[in-house]
Amino acid sequence: MNQKINKAEHRDTPAGHAAESRGARAHEHSSQSRMARLFDHFASAVARATGSPMAFGCAVLIILLWALAGPWAGFSEVWQLVVNTGTTIITFLMVFLIQQNQNKDSRALHVKLDELLMTLKGASDQLVDIEDMEEDEINEIAERYRRLAQAARKLKDPE
């Protein structure tokens, strides 16, 4: 099913409305959005860099060097404190960077799915904002779809 959407039709989609409203909101919070963009770019770059094999190799090398320095430092409390403090600080900061990337990826995925739901005939528009529902409501919907899937499998394979 290969459909082309012209610009007028695209404006009537959630993604089209988002694109139009971006221009209107551009000047509202320029310093805040500039800071958010900078943080987003920084978080993305750090996540890409730290998720690489090279970063893992560097981390292993640092731990090996620290371990080899143990006898020289007499396996002192300061020697232990160095690695404990360093890893704690790095972990604490990475939590925020990773969460930023997860939030961005999740929002982007939801927008893509919403766009698909809005363009499919017969799709439930109730699912468009499902991420804003309460947990029990989501569980009810998930159970309904689980039952529908079971029924579809039974129809397909009546054994």
Side-chain angles (χ1 to χ4, degrees):
M1 185 154 86
N2 196 2
Q3 296 177 342
K4 290 187 178 180
I5 300 175
N6 67 33
K7 289 182 181 180
E9 288 171 337
H10 183 68
R11 280 194 303 267
D12 293 335
T13 67
H17 288 293
E20 286 181 5
S21 64
R22 269 187 234 122
R25 292 189 315 252
H27 299 289
E28 287 180 15
H29 302 287
S30 60
S31 65
Q32 182 182 5
S33 62
R34 178 174 158 73
M35 185 65 101
R37 275 195 313 277
L38 288 173
F39 180 67
D40 178 49
H41 292 300
F42 175 74
S44 295
V46 170
R48 275 192 306 278
T50 57
S52 70
M54 179 70 95
F56 179 76
C58 288
V60 169
L61 181 63
I62 289 169
I63 295 301
L64 285 174
L65 291 173
W66 170 81
L68 291 172
W72 175 79
F75 299 103
S76 67
E77 288 183 19
V78 171
W79 172 78
Q80 293 176 24
L81 189 62
V82 166
V83 77
N84 289 338
T85 303
T87 55
T88 301
I89 290 169
I90 290 169
T91 302
F92 178 75
L93 295 175
M94 287 301 294
V95 165
F96 296 100
L97 296 176
I98 292 168
Q99 189 62 51
Q100 161 65 19
N101 282 321
Q102 288 292 318
N103 291 345
K104 180 180 174 182
D105 289 346
S106 178
R107 282 190 311 271
L109 184 60
H110 282 283
V111 169
K112 289 176 183 180
L113 290 173
D114 290 348
E115 176 74 8
L116 290 172
L117 284 171
M118 295 302 290
T119 58
L120 288 175
K121 291 180 182 176
S124 172
D125 59 358
Q126 175 187 15
L127 298 178
V128 171
D129 294 323
I130 194 168
E131 66 273 11
D132 297 327
M133 291 181 177
E134 298 296 325
E135 187 77 20
D136 56 338
E137 293 174 299
I138 294 172
N139 290 337
E140 287 175 23
I141 293 170
E143 180 60 26
R144 187 175 78 221
Y145 279 99
R146 189 187 64 73
R147 287 191 307 268
L148 286 170
Q150 283 178 336
R153 280 192 293 272
K154 285 180 183 176
L155 288 174
K156 186 177 178 183
D157 189 26
E159 290 180 15

